[in-house]
Amino acid sequence: MTITQLRYVVALDQFKSFAKAAEHCLVAQPTLSLQIQKVEQELGFDLFDRKKNPIVTTKLGKEVVNQARHTLREADKLYEIAGLGKDDAIGTLSIGVIPTVGAFLIPNIYQKLQQQLPKVSFRISELPTLTILEKLESEELDIGILATPLRVPNIIENPLYYEPFVAYYPEGEREKSKTVSMKHLEKYPLLVLGEDHCFRHQSLKICNRNSLAKIESGSVETLKRMVDLGIGVTLLPKLSLNFSSNRLVPFLAPEPAREISTIYKKGFFKNKILKKLNEIILSEIPTEYHKKENFKIIGVSIPSD
């Protein structure tokens, strides 16, 4: 069996659909199906129960998939070694980014990634923190870009920059002061993101609130619109803002801020690609946000069931 066939097997296990797995692998569905059948014929047993919808990996199939992931990881290391003596990094990198970072970061870095790392294939997904951690553990992702510190066993955190929080008020509601205090925010209903988002929990910590809020949403844009209707106030990540308004108010110093890091599982080996990715990210971040001395870092609470 070939490395390509193993990639198809792992993709089908991940997506539970021939169509989605084929789309992910950039091949025609009949091609992927045929190659997986060849693997099954070579091994002498079915890897997948095709009668189920979505497709279910068989008990022996799960063992094969786990070994295939290990084999693919080792094969990728060969590409990494091959690139050590070359100017250009080569290989693949799958990245999970939390939405409140991705909305700002992905549009700003994607073209640079293509231009400066032309021999690297990137796969970028916007995912909540808990999903990123789960996919790092299962090795469906190589790295995550999210708020830290998390202090999760087996995960390495590489802090990159620090992003201040700002308050966003309804029209005519903000005070004349150039900065906002926690006490002033207590006067208003707080609008926050939903339970899956770490940004929600950080907002509640800053405002000294419990888990109850006026409105919970899955989108920063929805929160902004609700504020515009005069329903309450919300906190926003400063770098993600693509608009200016006198209703956006910074906090008193030291400003509350979140630490944004690239994280990866112990044993990660694509260091050349990661180093360049970190450089590209930092090139898009104002230098005053590269150090945490002037900020009050708000910790992260990992959402759980």
Side-chain angles (χ1 to χ4, degrees), residues 92-105:
T92 62
L93 195 73
S94 55
I95 306 171
V97 189
I98 57 173
T100 54
V101 170
F104 155 74
L105 199 60

Side-chain angles (χ1 to χ4, degrees), residues 16-18 48-57:
K16 314 298 183 187
S17 159
F18 279 99
F48 303 97
D49 185 348
R50 294 162 172 79
K51 296 177 182 178
K52 301 289 180 63
N53 186 17
I55 289 168
V56 174
T57 308

Side-chain angles (χ1 to χ4, degrees), residues 71 96 101 232 259 267 269 297:
T71 300
V101 170
E259 177 183 84
F269 59 89
I297 307 304

Side-chain angles (χ1 to χ4, degrees), residues 29-301:
Q29 183 175 330
T31 300
L32 182 135
S33 179
L34 177 61
Q35 293 304 315
I36 290 178
Q37 286 178 13
K38 287 184 176 181
V39 173
E40 291 176 320
Q41 290 169 2
E42 185 174 343
L43 293 174
F45 56 84
D46 289 340
L47 300 177
F48 303 97
D49 185 348
R50 294 162 172 79
K51 296 177 182 178
K52 301 289 180 63
N53 186 17
I55 289 168
V56 174
T57 308
T58 65
K59 184 177 180 180
L60 279 176
K62 289 179 181 179
E63 294 186 26
V64 172
V65 168
N66 290 337
Q67 185 59 44
R69 292 188 193 279
H70 176 75
T71 300
L72 292 173
R73 188 166 64 251
E74 295 301 312
D76 283 342
K77 287 183 182 179
L78 295 177
Y79 289 109
E80 179 75 10
I81 292 170
L84 290 177
K86 300 178 181 178
D87 292 335
D88 293 337
I90 61 174
T92 62
L93 195 73
S94 55
I95 306 171
V97 189
I98 57 173
T100 54
V101 170
F104 155 74
L105 199 60
I106 294 173
N108 282 296
I109 69 171
Y110 188 74
Q111 286 188 326
K112 285 189 175 182
L113 291 175
Q114 299 290 93
Q115 294 166 358
Q116 298 183 35
L117 293 166
K119 296 182 180 179
V120 177
S121 175
F122 289 95
R123 186 170 71 251
I124 305 175
S125 305
E126 281 194 350
L127 302 165
T129 295
L130 194 58
T131 303
I132 290 175
L133 292 173
E134 291 171 349
K135 289 183 177 292
L136 285 175
E137 180 61 32
S138 65
E139 298 181 356
E140 296 174 52
L141 290 176
D142 292 312
I143 70 165
I145 304 176
L146 40 66
T148 54
L150 296 170
R151 299 183 179 91
V152 174
N154 208 35
I155 293 293
I156 306 298
E157 300 178 5
N158 177 38
L160 289 178
Y161 64 92
Y162 304 89
E163 181 176 24
F165 295 82
V166 295
Y168 185 50
Y169 283 90
E171 186 70 44
E173 291 292 335
R174 67 158 292 185
E175 294 184 340
K176 295 180 179 180
S177 173
K178 294 181 179 180
T179 58
V180 63
S181 67
M182 310 296 183
K183 185 175 182 180
H184 185 243
L185 283 180
E186 292 174 359
K187 302 176 183 178
Y188 302 93
L190 180 64
L191 314 182
V192 298
L193 290 172
E195 191 69 39
D196 287 344
H197 298 270
C198 285
F199 192 84
R200 161 214 170 90
H201 301 280
Q202 291 172 310
S203 297
L204 293 171
K205 284 182 181 180
I206 291 171
C207 297
N208 297 317
R209 306 285 182 98
N210 58 26
S211 61
L212 298 176
K214 182 75 173 181
I215 287 182
E216 299 179 10
S217 169
S219 163
V220 169
E221 286 302 315
T222 299
L223 293 181
K224 287 162 54 180
R225 291 175 185 177
M226 300 306 286
V227 173
D228 291 342
L229 292 173
I231 294 173
V233 300
T234 193
L235 302 190
L236 299 173
K238 188 171 183 178
L239 292 175
S240 71
L241 303 178
N242 57 5
F243 70 103
S244 59
S245 170
N246 62 2
R247 294 188 281 136
L248 288 168
V249 189
F251 281 87
L252 289 167
E255 295 177 81
R258 60 179 183 172
E259 177 183 84
I260 302 299
S261 302
T262 47
I263 70 168
Y264 46 88
K265 192 176 177 181
K266 287 182 179 178
F268 177 84
F269 59 89
K270 301 179 183 181
N271 299 303
K272 191 171 185 178
I273 301 174
L274 179 60
K275 181 180 179 181
K276 190 63 180 178
L277 170 65
N278 289 342
E279 290 174 358
I280 291 172
I281 291 174
L282 284 175
S283 72
E284 295 295 324
I285 306 300
T287 55
E288 62 264 33
Y289 300 149
H290 289 194
K291 295 183 179 181
K292 65 179 179 181
E293 283 77 6
N294 296 327
F295 300 112
K296 177 183 178 182
I297 307 304
I298 304 302
V300 177
S301 298

Side-chain angles (χ1 to χ4, degrees), residues 18-27 32:
F18 279 99
K20 291 180 180 178
E23 181 181 359
H24 172 78
C25 294
L26 303 178
V27 296
L32 182 135

